[in-house]
Amino acid sequence: MSRGGFLVLAALGFALLPAMVKSDFTLTILVFSFLLGMLAVSFNLIFGYTGQLSMFHAAAFGISAYATHLCMTRLGTSFWTGMLCAVALVLALSVIVGALCFRFRLKEFYFAVVTLAFSEMARLVVLNWNSVTNGSLGIILQEKPTLWLPGLGVVTLQGTLMWYYVSLVALALTVLVCWRLVNSWMGRCFAAIRLNDELGDALGINVFRYKLAAFAVGNIIAAVTGGLYAFYLGSIEPGFLSIDQSLAIVAMVLLGGRGAVAAPVIGAIVLTALPHLIHLGAEVRSIVYGAILIFTILLMPQGIYGSLAALGRRRNAV
Amino acid sequence: MGQLILGQLLNGAIVGTLYGIIALGVTLTFGITGIVNFALGAFMMLGCYMAWYFTDGVGMPYPVAVVCAVLVTAFAGMIADQTLFRFTRNNLVNGLLVSIGLISVMEGGALLIWTSTPKNMEYVLPGVFVLSGLVVPKMKLVVFLLLLGVILATYAALTRTWIGRAAYAYAQNPEAAELMGVRTGLLQSGVVVYSTGLAGLGGALYASLYSIDPSLGAVYILKAVEAAILAGIGSVMGSLFGGVLLGITEGVGSIYLPIAFRDAYGLVFLVAILLLRPAGLFTGRK
C-alpha cells in the first residue's frame, strides 16, 4: 500500500477512535499529541526537509498564543480573526528574522544560535512586559472560540470530543499542506538546499528565497497551533516560548523520524503519552526524556518511522 | 555614582572569568571534536555540588575539596565521552542534541539527589578588602585570580608545549597530525575531559560565592557560548576577554537599565557579532 493510502487509513482510524474509546483521559492525551504533532510536522519542514536547525519554533508558537488572546481582549475580535492577526504578526517576525539570518548566510550552529537568541529575546519581552502579558504568572483564558459548522450553525468549542476533531482536522490539514509542498517543485528546492546549498545556488536555485519560504511556512503553522493550543489548555505562560519547548519539538521530530512528512506525529504521540502511561516524578521524567533523546540519536538516527521502514524493506527483500 | 560603576566593573570582571572558564571549555571542545558541548553547564553544576558535598558533607578543607570536585567532574566527563561523545565526533547537530539530552539526565539526577532547595556553603574566606572605598570580598578576588591563572596556564600550555602544538596541528589538519604521530583519539578524549574539568573547577569555585541549585548550569552555558562566539570560537584568550566583556556589560548595564534586561545584552551582542563580524572579535590575525 502506498504511503498516502496508509495515511488516509490512519486518519480515518483516528476519526473513528472516539466511537470505541470513551475515556476522556486518552482523548485528552491525543488532543495534546495532535497539536504538538502539528508543531513537529511544521518544524520538520524547516529542519528535516530544508536542513535548517531553527530554534524559533517555540517563539512563533508562544507569540501567536499571546497575540491571539490580546487581539480578542484588546480589539474585541473573534477567535479566528485574532488568530489571523497573530499569524500575520508571526509571519512578519519570521520574515525579518529569517531574512536577517539567510541574507548573512548563517548556517548550522550559527543559525541555531541566532534564532535561539531571537526567541530568548521574545521570551524576555513576554516575561517582563507585565502590563500586557501578566509576566511569569501567565493569563487564564476565559473566552471560548466558536466555530460555524454546516447543519449545526455556530457552536462553542468546548469539551474533549469537539477539540479532538478540531485538532485532528488541523493536523490532517498540516500534513496535507506539508505533503503538497514537499512533493512539489518547491520541495525539490528544499532538498537541494539541504544537501548542498552552494551547489543549489550554482544551479540557479534562489537559496535565500526558498530557505525563507520554508522558515515562514513552518512558523505560520506553528502560529496556528499556538492559538489552538492556548485555548484548548485554557491558559498561557512564558514557558511556551522557552528553550525547553523548542527542544521538545526537536526531540519529537528526531524520535518520530525526519524522513516522512507525518513521521514526527509518531514522536509527538510517544513523548506526550509516555509520561502519562508510566507515572513518574518530574525528576525521573526529565532523566527518561534525556535518555530517550540520547539513545534515539545514537542508536536510531532515522527515528521510529525510519527504523520501521528499514525493517519492512528488509522483509520485502528476503 | 562613580564608585557604583567601578564596583560593577569589578563584579562584572569576576563573573566574567566564570563565563570565561566555561567558554574556554566550549572553545576547546569545538576546536578539537567539532561539537558544541552544551552539557558543560551541567558539569559545572556537578562541580558545585561536589565541592559543597566534600566540604560541608565530608568535612574536607576547601582547597582539597575543590581538587576532589574537579577530579570527580572530570571522571564524569570521561564516562560521558566514552559512552556518548565518542560517537558524535564532528557531527555538530547530533553532538548538540546528545549534550542536551545529557543535561536533562544530569539535572534530573541532581534534583533527585539534592532536591531543588538551594544549598549554601559555609563561608570559606570571610572578610573583605577595602580599596579606596571600594569593598571587595576576599573570596571573590581569590576566585578571580585562580580562574585567570588557569586560563593563562592553559594558553601557555597550548602555545609552549608539545601537546599544545599537537592540538593546534590537529585543529588545522587532522590527517596530517595523525601522520606526524599525534594520537588523535586520545587527544580528542583528553580535550573533552579537560573541558569538563574546567567546568568543574568553575563550579567548585562558584559554590564558595553563591548559593547553588540544580538549574544553575543553564544560565552559565548560554553565557559561555555567547562569550565564545563573541570572541571567535577557537580563540583561547578570546574566551577570557569575551567572558569578561559580557560580565562587565551586564554589570554596568544593570545600573542604567532594569535588571530584567540583564540576560538580553549577551543575546544582542551575539546577533550583532554573528551578522557583522562572524569570525569573532579576537580572531583578526590568522
Side-chain angles (χ1 to χ4, degrees), chain B residues 140-157:
Chain B
K140 274 197 175 175
L141 209 61
V142 172
V143 168
F144 175 68
L145 293 175
L146 259 175
L147 290 176
L148 203 63
V150 170
I151 295 175
L152 291 175
T154 306
Y155 180 69

Side-chain angles (χ1 to χ4, degrees), chain A residues 104 109-110 113-114 254 286 297, chain B residues 92 97 104 111 260 270 274-275:
Chain A
F104 285 91
F109 176 61
Y110 293 105
V113 168
V114 170
L254 286 170
S286 157
I297 292 162
Chain B
L92 199 107
L97 296 168
S104 291
L111 279 170
L270 188 77
L274 280 180
L275 296 184

Side-chain angles (χ1 to χ4, degrees), chain A residues 283 287, chain B residues 45 49 105-116 214:
Chain A
E283 302 90 2
I287 297 178
Chain B
M45 181 268 295
Y49 273 100
V105 172
M106 287 177 73
E107 268 191 26
L111 279 170
L112 265 187
I113 303 171
W114 295 300
T115 70
S116 58

Side-chain angles (χ1 to χ4, degrees), chain B residues 158-179:
Chain B
L158 278 173
T159 46
R160 300 278 184 275
T161 66
W162 191 89
I163 299 178
R165 241 170 296 149
Y168 270 116
Y170 182 82
Q172 281 180 4
N173 189 335
E175 279 101 25
E178 193 158 13
L179 288 172

Side-chain angles (χ1 to χ4, degrees), chain A residues 115-195:
Chain A
T115 46
L116 181 71
F118 277 114
S119 63
E120 271 296 280
M121 283 185 221
R123 191 181 67 88
L124 285 174
V125 168
V126 167
L127 195 61
N128 294 307
W129 198 358
N130 282 316
S131 57
V132 174
T133 61
N134 202 18
S136 56
L137 294 175
I139 306 172
I140 304 283
L141 306 178
Q142 307 286 0
E143 307 85 359
K144 295 258 179 263
T146 52
L147 185 65
W148 181 86
L149 287 176
L152 287 172
V154 178
V155 288
T156 312
L157 271 183
Q158 57 188 356
T160 314
L161 196 64
M162 185 86 91
W163 272 103
Y164 180 86
Y165 281 110
V166 169
S167 58
L168 184 61
V169 169
L171 177 66
L173 283 176
T174 304
V175 171
L176 196 69
V177 167
C178 290
W179 174 287
R180 291 292 303 157
L181 211 58
V182 166
N183 289 308
S184 69
W185 49 276
M186 262 178 125
R188 304 268 159 215
C189 296
F190 291 165
I193 291 169
R194 180 184 75 232
L195 294 169

Side-chain angles (χ1 to χ4, degrees), chain B residues 41-263:
Chain B
F43 283 105
M44 176 188 169
M45 181 268 295
L46 184 65
C48 288
Y49 273 100
M50 282 297 122
W52 167 76
Y53 172 73
F54 283 128
T55 43
D56 285 12
V58 180
M60 291 180 184
Y62 180 66
V64 184
V66 169
V67 173
C68 289
V70 171
L71 288 178
V72 170
T73 316
F75 182 69
M78 196 177 82
I79 295 174
D81 180 62
Q82 289 303 307
T83 53
L84 308 175
F85 293 123
R86 200 151 57 93
F87 305 104
T88 63
R89 299 267 195 259
N90 296 316
N91 189 332
L92 199 107
V93 172
N94 282 6
L96 201 68
L97 296 168
V98 165
S99 70
I100 285 162
L102 187 60
I103 298 177
S104 291
V105 172
M106 287 177 73
E107 268 191 26
L111 279 170
L112 265 187
I113 303 171
W114 295 300
T115 70
S116 58
T117 320
K119 301 267 189 285
N120 282 300
M121 223 166 81
E122 296 278 323
Y123 282 111
V124 181
L125 191 65
V128 290
F129 288 115
V130 180
L131 299 164
S132 63
L134 203 66
V135 180
V136 187
K138 279 183 183 166
M139 194 57 209
K140 274 197 175 175
L141 209 61
V142 172
V143 168
F144 175 68
L145 293 175
L146 259 175
L147 290 176
L148 203 63
V150 170
I151 295 175
L152 291 175
T154 306
Y155 180 69
L158 278 173
T159 46
R160 300 278 184 275
T161 66
W162 191 89
I163 299 178
R165 241 170 296 149
Y168 270 116
Y170 182 82
Q172 281 180 4
N173 189 335
E175 279 101 25
E178 193 158 13
L179 288 172
M180 292 299 129
V182 176
R183 294 171 67 183
T184 51
L186 199 64
L187 180 71
Q188 287 179 320
S189 299
V191 164
V192 172
V193 173
Y194 185 67
S195 304
T196 54
L198 286 179
L201 176 69
L205 295 176
Y206 176 93
S208 71
L209 297 177
Y210 308 100
S211 66
I212 55 179
D213 68 282
S215 61
L216 67 91
V219 175
Y220 273 80
I221 188 61
L222 260 184
K223 299 287 166 69
V225 170
E226 285 163 13
I229 291 175
L230 196 64
I233 234 166
S235 157
V236 174
M237 291 311 284
S239 58
L240 173 65
F241 295 136
V244 171
L245 186 61
L246 193 57
I248 288 178
T249 315
E250 286 178 352
V252 176
S254 44
I255 303 176
Y256 298 105
L257 290 168
I259 197 128
F261 291 113
R262 223 184 118 100
D263 293 332

